[in-house]
């Protein structure tokens, strides 16, 4: 099955770009996702990328996929205090029949 | 458009009791997924329901069960509660399986 790894913490200054990284093991993952979780809340789907794409941009968010290295990243431009949250990388293999496999999440800490 | 809703928000139960958690998907979505988010264990896939049938389950014992109703809402039942069942239970819905939208979760505390 899928295994997804993320670093646990990232600290950035307000206004800088944040880059959150993720590695995955299952090359058959069809879709790769980024979710955001604020304290005490559920998961918010931020964006996702289909496995045959290299990059996807959506306003301040840029997703890069390196299939060869099985590496996924999420770049948040002009990071704001409201971006403070836990960010989860997730993969769907088996056409989603096995549910999503999540990383442990990266805590994004914004310094003023 | 209303998102995924879950009830109750919080649930406190005693060891050995049964817990019932409910989920209403986004209108038009036919699939419901359940996940457990336990401290230290991360998010783990529990169950998948689609068109009223259980389609797949994760690595959880049979005391975790559920069903999906004709209106596509779903119920998760946890029997013979154990202390380690304390977690946030998240429900997600999708129309096709590539986009899953999550509800706010039910916080289950077992004492």
């Amino acid at each position: 099955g899928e295994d997804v790894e993320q670093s646990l913490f990232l600290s950035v200054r307000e206004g800088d770009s944040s880059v959150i990284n993720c590695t995955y093991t299952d090359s058959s993952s069809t879709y790769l996702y980024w979710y955001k979780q604020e304290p005490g809340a559920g998961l918010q789907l931020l964006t996702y990328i289909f496995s045959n794409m290299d990059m996807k941009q959506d306003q301040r968010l840029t997703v890069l996929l390196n299939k060869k290295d099985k590496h996924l990243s999420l770049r948040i431009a002009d990071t704001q205090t409201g971006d403070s949250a836990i960010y989860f990388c997730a993969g769907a293999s088996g056409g989603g029949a096995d549910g999503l496999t999540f990383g442990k999440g990266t805590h994004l800490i914004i310094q003023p | 458009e209303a998102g995924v809703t879950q009830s109750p928000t919080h649930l406190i139960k005693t060891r050995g009791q049964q817990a019932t958690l409910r989920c209403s998907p986004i209108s038009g979505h036919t699939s419901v997924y359940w996940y457990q988010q336990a401290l230290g264990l991360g998010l783990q896939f529990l169950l998948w329901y689609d068109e009223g049938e259980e389609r797949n389950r994760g690595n959880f014992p049979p005391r975790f069960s559920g069903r999906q109703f004709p209106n596509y809402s779903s119920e998760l039942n946890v029997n013979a509660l154990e202390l380690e069942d304390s977690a946030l239970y998240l429900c997600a819905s999708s129309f096709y399986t590539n986009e899953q939208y999550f509800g706010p979760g039910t916080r289950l505390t077992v004492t």
Side-chain angles (χ1 to χ4, degrees), chain B residues 10-33:
Chain B
H10 293 93
L11 192 55
I12 300 174
K13 292 286 185 179
T14 304
R15 242 173 85 185
Q17 286 188 317
Q18 180 198 33
T20 298
L21 290 64
R22 295 181 177 84
C23 171
S24 290
I26 291 170
S27 177
H29 286 191
T30 59
S31 274
V32 170
Y33 294 80

Side-chain angles (χ1 to χ4, degrees), chain B residues 30-84:
Chain B
T30 59
S31 274
V32 170
Y33 294 80
W34 287 95
Y35 293 86
Q36 182 196 65
Q37 187 176 26
L39 209 59
L41 293 177
L43 277 148
Q44 294 183 284
F45 166 65
L46 251 171
L47 288 158
W48 171 35
Y49 291 95
D50 182 61
E51 297 283 358
E53 300 283 332
E54 180 182 307
R55 301 296 182 182
N56 203 5
R57 64 185 294 128
N59 190 22
F60 282 85
R63 58 190 186 81
F64 287 84
S65 65
R67 52 182 172 164
Q68 187 178 32
F69 299 99
N71 66 354
Y72 303 112
S73 67
S74 176
E75 196 173 85
L76 173 69
N77 295 296
V78 188
N79 293 318
L81 283 164
E82 299 178 4
L83 295 177
E84 51 264 33

Side-chain angles (χ1 to χ4, degrees), chain A residues 31 33 35 37 40-45 48 88 92 95-104, chain B residues 33 35 37 40-43 45 48 55-56 88 90 97-105 107:
Chain A
Y31 291 93
Y33 304 81
Y35 282 88
Q37 187 176 36
L43 299 177
Q44 177 192 352
L45 177 61
Y48 64 93
F88 291 92
D98 300 326
L100 297 178
T101 300
F102 287 86
K104 292 273 194 272
Chain B
Y33 294 80
Y35 293 86
Q37 187 176 26
L41 293 177
L43 277 148
F45 166 65
W48 171 35
R55 301 296 182 182
N56 203 5
L88 182 67
L90 293 163
T97 55
N98 58 306
E99 289 182 37
Q100 292 185 25
Y101 294 91
F102 283 77
R107 173 77 57 189

